[in-house]
Amino acid sequence: MNLHDITKKYILNDTELVIIETIINELSKGNQKISIRDIASQTYVSTTVIVKLAKKLGFVGYSQMLYVLNESIHQKVSIENLSDLSEFVNNDDIETVQKLIDDIYQHKHEKIYLVGVGFSDIITHYFLKRLASFDIFAYDGAPIDCINARSNPSIIILFF
């Protein structure tokens, strides 16, 4: 969670933004034990304002907000072992994906059904939004919808 994520999710006033920026700056400097009084002093607010901000952001209190912000700042994502995307996708997969793209584009004016089961439903929703960004209308529904769709010309894409 960084300042950008927080401001996208919550509507914060200028004072609240200054408080969050101050906390993030202190944590970035390596100061992990910032007292609420220090932050209040630096931002010219009362400690109550800081506690209310923490609760507004969904935390139990200041300590939890400080912990989560600290963890998110110092969280490292390691991709050192990934030298090339080809480790994930071989040439056969790229050809399959290209064929899928060609088929979708060729039939973009027909019914396109996307079906995701379980966690793949997340992929289905993402794919639906990506298609919409290219002005391709698709429907994400239940597997039973595919049975009804077979009588009409359409494309059915299943994610498992």
Side-chain angles (χ1 to χ4, degrees):
M1 177 184 299
N2 57 31
L3 185 60
H4 179 70
D5 295 337
I6 292 170
T7 56
K8 283 180 75 176
K9 190 172 182 181
Y10 301 97
I11 299 173
L12 303 177
N13 62 38
D14 292 339
T15 304
E16 293 169 333
L17 285 172
V18 169
I19 293 168
I20 295 294
E21 285 175 349
T22 304
I23 292 171
I24 290 174
N25 288 338
E26 288 294 320
L27 291 171
S28 297
K29 292 177 188 174
N31 186 2
Q32 297 178 2
K33 302 247 182 200
I34 313 163
S35 75
I36 192 169
R37 292 184 197 282
D38 290 342
I39 296 297
S41 172
Q42 290 179 30
T43 57
Y44 306 105
V45 297
S46 69
T47 56
T48 306
V49 171
I50 298 172
V51 171
K52 286 182 180 179
L53 171 61
K55 291 186 182 214
K56 180 178 182 177
L57 298 177
F59 300 109
V60 174
Y62 172 74
S63 297
Q64 184 186 23
M65 178 176 72
L66 188 66
Y67 176 79
V68 170
L69 287 173
N70 187 40
E71 288 296 310
S72 67
I73 288 171
H74 294 97
Q75 182 180 14
K76 303 255 191 236
V77 178
S78 176
I79 57 170
E80 296 170 5
N81 297 333
L82 306 177
S83 60
D84 192 2
L85 184 61
S86 63
E87 291 180 27
F88 288 109
V89 180
N90 62 36
N91 288 335
D92 296 335
D93 292 337
I94 292 173
E95 291 171 10
T96 303
V97 170
Q98 186 60 51
K99 181 168 177 1
L100 175 65
I101 292 168
D102 293 342
D103 287 344
I104 289 172
Y105 189 74
Q106 182 181 4
H107 300 283
K108 70 180 182 177
H109 298 294
E110 297 176 25
K111 294 178 186 175
I112 299 175
Y113 290 90
L114 306 174
V115 178
V117 180
F119 286 117
S120 64
D121 191 45
I122 297 168
I123 296 168
T124 303
H125 290 297
Y126 174 77
F127 198 65
L128 178 77
K129 290 180 183 194
R130 293 297 297 164
L131 288 174
S133 71
F134 293 107
D135 295 325
I136 299 173
F137 179 74
Y139 172 77
D140 65 332
I144 192 71
D145 294 333
C146 295
I147 296 170
N148 296 334
R150 286 195 295 181
S151 60
N152 298 327
S154 59
I155 295 178
I156 301 170
I157 302 170
L158 302 172
F159 295 98
F160 289 89

